[in-house]
Each structure stands twice: as structure tokens, then as C-alpha cells.
Amino acid sequence: MGGSKRKRPAVVSNVLVGNGHSEGSHYTDHHGNSHATTSNASNAYTSRIPIVYSPRFAADISDLAIADKNTRDALAYLARKRLIKMSALIPCDRPVSDEELASMGRKGQHAGQEEALVNPRGWSISTGGGMHHACWATGKAMCFFADLTLAVRHAQALRPGIRIMIVDLDAHRGNGYEADLMKDSDAGSVYILDVFNTGVYPPPSEAPSKRAIRKAVPMDADTSDRTYLTAARRALDEAFLEFPDPGLVLYVNGFDVLKGDKNGHLGLTPNGVVRRDIMVFEAALSRRIPICVVIAGGSYMEDNGEVIGDIMAKVLRRCKLL
């Protein structure tokens, strides 16, 4: 690949980076099914530059296309409401090099943490990350770039000795970064709180990565707002008691917890998700702890972008962050 140009797939945004599977290799979807990839980019793979999957491969992943469209529609909704400005978007019709996309992925995650750490108000939101199934060595389950591992490493380099709390409230367990951060968890420099549906991806074969979790909160399918929020609030309070005064909270929020989502299979209402996100924002900001939010599952329900945008708007307004 090295410098070659490839048109960016129209249905996929700048998060499509990965470890460069070869032609004929496989990836695993959220249902645990194995699929053949179509990327032919592996020959030029280096450990420093993630590889962008081919448009044909990207187009084959319909769930990712839905999630990506919902995220972009949510941002467009917020822009129409004049709550954010849309800028620096790369047009789908211009060729974008693999190196440029890889650089965007790194810079976007770096910018999110640095904004949270240095912004006087102490928060930021990244819409191009949260790929919590990807680990340093490989992509998994529609996650191609280990941005959460990178986020931790970048924050550690930026502020040596920083203690980081990861709050993962996506419907799926974050097996990728958890596998990467086991030593950090053992050493007490990273604390992971993960609330997840036990009946969905990842499969039992990924169980070893659970060792990194300091506070695991398993949920059953169709869990209601009340049950979910009660358990999550209790776990969050306990987490800050067990890991007081972290230097940064990385919040993987995920909208695949919404009732009807075909991959998350939980039962939260939009109002329940608003309450969930307010709970996490207030837990961090009331303690004067910077928080960087990454939107993981952009919801796998068709045309759900405005629902997500409305949720984000309500959270930002009620937390007086706008």
C-alpha cells in the first residue's frame, strides 16, 4: 500500500483503520460469526501505520454502515440545532491515502484526550472512536483500530503517572482494550468499569480479557431503565471509592443499549440513556476529573441518528456544558 490512493467508502467515516488482514483472512462480527475479508493491503503493513480496509470490505459490513450513518446523522442534527459546528469533514468523493486516514484516527483520539485534560471545563467528545473490541495486534467485531489502548498510552505519555478510569457502558464488553491493559490494571494505573449484556459478543473464547476489569456489571437481555441505572449508579459510586481521584475518565457510552437494537439486545429508552450519560458526566465533573467521551455503538437500528442527536443535546444542556 505505502502511499497508494484509495477512494474512501461512502458509507464509512474516518474510523476505518485496522491491522491489515490479508486476502482470504477473516473478521468476526457482533454475532460471533466469521467472515472472509476482501482487503489486499497487508503486504505494506507496518507496526506504525494502521491499514485502511478496502471499500468493498467496508461495504460488506452493513451493521457498521448503519452505526456510522446514525453517528453522522446525529452530528448533522446537532449542527442544525446550532449546538455544534460541522467542520473538517473529508468529502467521500476525493481520494484519501491510507496514511492520511491512519493519521486522522490517531490525531482525533489524541485531540479528544488533550481537550479534556486542558479544557478549563474538563470535557470532550470524540465521534470517531470507541472501537473497544480492537486490540493492539488486531481488529475484531467491526472495530479496526485500538483507539482506546492508544488513548491510554497517549495520556500516559502526556502526563506520566496519570491514573485512568475507563467507564464502558456500551452493550458489549470491551474485550479488545481489556486484553491490552491487563498489566496496567494489575499495577493499579488503569481501572475498568464495564457494564455489558452477557448474551452478546464477545464469545466465551474471549473470557481471559475479563481479568482486566476491576468492576464488572453483567446484564441480562431486555434490561429496563430502572434495573440498568440502579446497577450502573451503584457500580460507578463504588468505582470512585475504590479508585479515587483518577486523572482522566474515558467514557465509552454506546447507543446500542437502546431497546430494539439488534446487536445490543438491552432495553433502555432514550430517556434512560440521557439519565445514564448525565450520571457519568456529573460523577466525573463534580469531582473535577476531566472526561473524554467516545461514542462506541452508534446504534444498529436504521435511521436512529436524530434520536441519538437528541439524546446528546439533552445531556449537554442538562449538564450545562453548552
Side-chain angles (χ1 to χ4, degrees):
M1 167 149 145
S4 64
K5 299 286 184 178
R6 178 180 294 124
K7 277 198 173 183
R8 178 175 175 238
V11 296
V12 182
S13 69
N14 63 341
V15 301
L16 265 186
V17 290
N19 74 312
H21 291 298
S22 62
E23 186 76 34
S25 61
H26 293 75
Y27 73 95
T28 306
D29 65 19
H30 271 314
H31 305 290
N33 300 316
S34 182
H35 302 271
T37 71
T38 58
S39 174
N40 58 5
S42 63
N43 292 338
Y45 172 74
T46 72
S47 61
R48 295 180 61 84
I49 301 177
I51 286 178
V52 179
Y53 284 92
S54 70
R56 180 180 161 198
F57 173 71
D60 284 342
I61 310 175
S62 60
D63 285 354
L64 179 62
I66 292 169
D68 181 77
K69 180 179 182 299
N70 281 331
T71 300
R72 286 186 289 147
D73 286 351
L75 296 178
Y77 173 88
L78 293 172
R80 288 198 302 274
K81 297 290 184 181
R82 300 184 182 276
L83 300 178
I84 64 170
K85 292 182 179 179
M86 297 289 279
S87 61
L89 297 180
I90 291 185
C92 293
D93 58 353
R94 101 164 156 79
V96 180
S97 71
D98 301 318
E99 289 80 1
E100 183 176 4
L101 277 176
S103 176
M104 285 167 56
R106 290 193 297 272
K107 289 177 180 177
Q109 192 58 274
H110 291 179
Q113 298 151 72
E114 291 180 12
E115 178 69 16
L117 289 168
V118 305
N119 185 326
R121 304 183 75 177
W123 66 276
S124 68
I125 297 176
S126 171
T127 61
M131 287 177 274
H132 61 166
H133 300 310
C135 63
W136 199 253
T138 187
K140 295 180 183 179
M142 298 186 292
C143 294
F144 309 103
F145 184 46
D147 65 295
L148 286 157
T149 301
L150 177 65
V152 169
R153 296 290 177 246
H154 182 65
Q156 290 170 334
L158 194 67
R159 298 211 176 161
I162 191 171
R163 297 162 65 251
I164 299 169
M165 178 182 289
I166 301 176
V167 178
D168 193 337
L169 302 189
D170 185 88
H172 304 84
R173 183 170 67 81
N175 55 309
Y177 70 85
E178 289 167 2
D180 288 335
L181 300 176
M182 282 195 275
K183 289 184 179 179
D184 299 80
S185 179
D186 290 343
S189 59
V190 171
Y191 184 105
I192 299 172
L193 162 60
D194 200 339
V195 181
F196 54 92
N197 184 348
T198 58
V200 297
Y201 185 91
S205 61
E206 297 282 341
S209 60
K210 282 185 179 180
R211 184 168 67 83
I213 304 174
R214 299 281 293 278
K215 182 71 64 177
V217 186
M219 291 285 174
D220 295 326
D222 302 316
T223 296
S224 66
D225 286 352
R226 181 176 181 179
T227 300
Y228 184 99
L229 292 170
T230 299
R233 181 176 295 280
R234 182 186 304 116
L236 196 61
D237 289 342
E238 292 172 354
F240 280 107
L241 288 174
E242 295 172 9
F243 196 74
D245 302 318
L248 176 68
V249 171
L250 286 174
Y251 176 33
V252 187
N253 70 345
F255 292 97
D256 54 359
V257 297
L258 285 164
K259 184 177 179 61
D261 189 283
K262 64 181 181 180
N263 284 331
H265 297 289
L266 289 175
L268 273 67
T269 65
N271 184 56
V273 178
V274 170
R275 291 166 60 195
R276 178 200 69 172
D277 286 358
I278 289 173
M279 174 181 69
V280 180
F281 263 105
E282 290 183 342
L285 297 179
S286 67
R287 293 172 169 85
R288 299 179 181 272
I289 299 168
I291 179 170
C292 175
V293 183
V294 290
I295 299 176
S299 175
Y300 303 101
M301 291 186 284
E302 296 278 4
D303 300 321
N304 214 30
E306 289 202 2
V307 173
I308 295 170
D310 186 56
I311 289 171
M312 294 171 66
K314 287 177 178 176
V315 172
L316 294 173
R317 281 173 170 149
R318 292 186 192 177
C319 291
K320 299 180 180 179
L321 299 176
L322 292 173

